Amino acid sequence: SKNKLKESAAGIFHGTHRYYAKYRPGIPGEVIDIIVKHFNIDPNDRILDIGCGTGQVALAMEGRCGEMVCLDPDPEMLKQAKQATKDSKTRITWINHSAENLGQLKEKLDTFKVATSSRAFHRMNQERVLKDLDELIEKDGGVAIFSDRVLWSGQEEWQQAVKRIIQKYLGKEGDTGKEKIKKPEELWENILAHSVSSVFRFIKIHDVPIVRNWDVESIIGYVLST
């Protein structure tokens, strides 16, 4: 049912909002610059952020657009996001719904220059979401999907140690105790290219190298955020 869809999407991150807000790295300015330049976003444009979490994209987009509508199924995430952006001069609307409910919200939302999804697209019903976005995105706009690799995906000794600990307690399949973590089976650019909507078939890929510093506390906090 629709209610179960929403509960399932919210449930996997239930209780992680404080760790997410404190230990998930912010969205790099370089990434926002690329999006703004590519879509020629101006201070009057509206942006839709899907799976907004604790508001990282809204914080990073400050001063770059006129309005943001931010969607997330977890009410605790949205509380953190509202607190984090309380001094924002951007007009922000927070909506407690999952991406799969976009179809129900279309008439209320109006249209947007760009839809963003940061660190969330792999958890969505991608084909369904893209189909709904087809009707929500203006002709000169598009979709920006971006993420960084999970902390334990690298080959450094400490990253492998983190991975071993996670596998010790959760198993190699990534069982959270609530549901299996969905592994991306296909590259995002391929999903976009083969979507039912022809609007999103013209794809530009950017790789942005970022240097970050980690210590034991931030590593543990990041893992608890997942």
Side-chain angles (χ1 to χ4, degrees):
S1 70
K2 292 172 183 175
N3 287 338
K4 285 183 180 179
L5 247 179
K6 181 179 175 181
E7 289 167 4
S8 175
I12 196 169
F13 279 97
H14 180 69
T16 66
H17 53 281
R18 292 187 182 90
Y19 299 110
Y20 203 105
K22 185 173 181 179
Y23 295 107
R24 284 292 178 108
I27 307 302
E30 298 95 320
V31 173
I32 299 301
D33 289 343
I34 289 169
I35 295 169
V36 169
K37 182 178 180 181
H38 183 81
F39 292 108
N40 194 28
I41 296 172
D42 67 41
N44 296 314
D45 285 328
R46 303 178 75 231
I47 306 296
L48 173 65
D49 186 32
I50 310 169
C52 66
T54 55
Q56 284 94 339
V57 175
L59 285 168
M61 285 294 297
E62 177 68 26
R64 311 300 292 272
C65 64
E67 181 182 358
M68 289 199 67
V69 175
C70 303
L71 199 74
D72 200 276
D74 190 328
E76 295 298 329
M77 290 280 190
L78 293 181
K79 286 181 183 178
Q80 291 284 154
K82 289 177 185 178
Q83 177 62 26
T85 58
K86 64 182 182 349
D87 297 324
S88 174
K89 295 179 181 178
T90 305
R91 182 182 169 190
I92 306 176
T93 301
W94 307 97
I95 300 179
N96 183 206
H97 272 286
S98 68
E100 288 77 12
N101 289 339
L102 276 173
Q104 304 170 34
L105 303 169
K106 279 187 285 192
E107 291 184 7
K108 297 179 181 179
L109 292 176
D110 204 0
T111 60
F112 301 87
K113 181 67 169 288
V114 173
T116 58
S117 180
S118 173
R119 304 164 178 159
F121 189 61
H122 59 293
R123 297 193 180 278
M124 301 174 188
N125 181 330
Q126 295 151 346
E127 198 72 32
R128 178 172 166 182
V129 170
L130 291 172
K131 185 176 181 180
D132 289 332
L133 286 176
D134 191 351
E135 299 178 39
L136 286 167
I137 303 301
E138 296 164 8
K139 289 183 179 180
D140 61 342
V143 175
I145 300 169
F146 48 102
S147 183
D148 34 22
R149 293 184 178 183
V150 291
L151 193 61
W152 52 88
S153 64
Q155 298 303 313
E156 295 291 332
E157 184 178 349
W158 64 270
Q159 291 173 308
Q160 291 299 301
V162 171
K163 186 175 181 178
R164 287 195 298 272
I165 293 170
I166 291 171
Q167 290 179 341
K168 176 181 177 181
Y169 290 97
L170 297 183
K172 292 187 177 181
E173 296 301 317
D175 186 353
T176 66
K178 298 172 185 176
E179 61 180 85
K180 297 287 185 183
I181 294 174
K182 181 181 177 184
K183 294 183 179 179
E185 298 175 356
E186 191 174 3
L187 294 173
W188 290 348
E189 54 265 33
N190 292 343
I191 293 170
L192 287 167
H194 301 132
S195 72
V196 293
S197 168
S198 61
V199 175
F200 308 120
R201 289 181 181 174
F202 303 99
I203 298 161
K204 180 74 174 177
I205 301 169
H206 295 270
D207 290 316
V208 183
I210 301 296
V211 176
R212 295 191 177 114
N213 296 316
W214 297 90
D215 57 21
V216 172
E217 179 188 340
S218 59
I219 291 169
I220 293 172
Y222 176 96
V223 172
L224 290 173
S225 82
T226 67

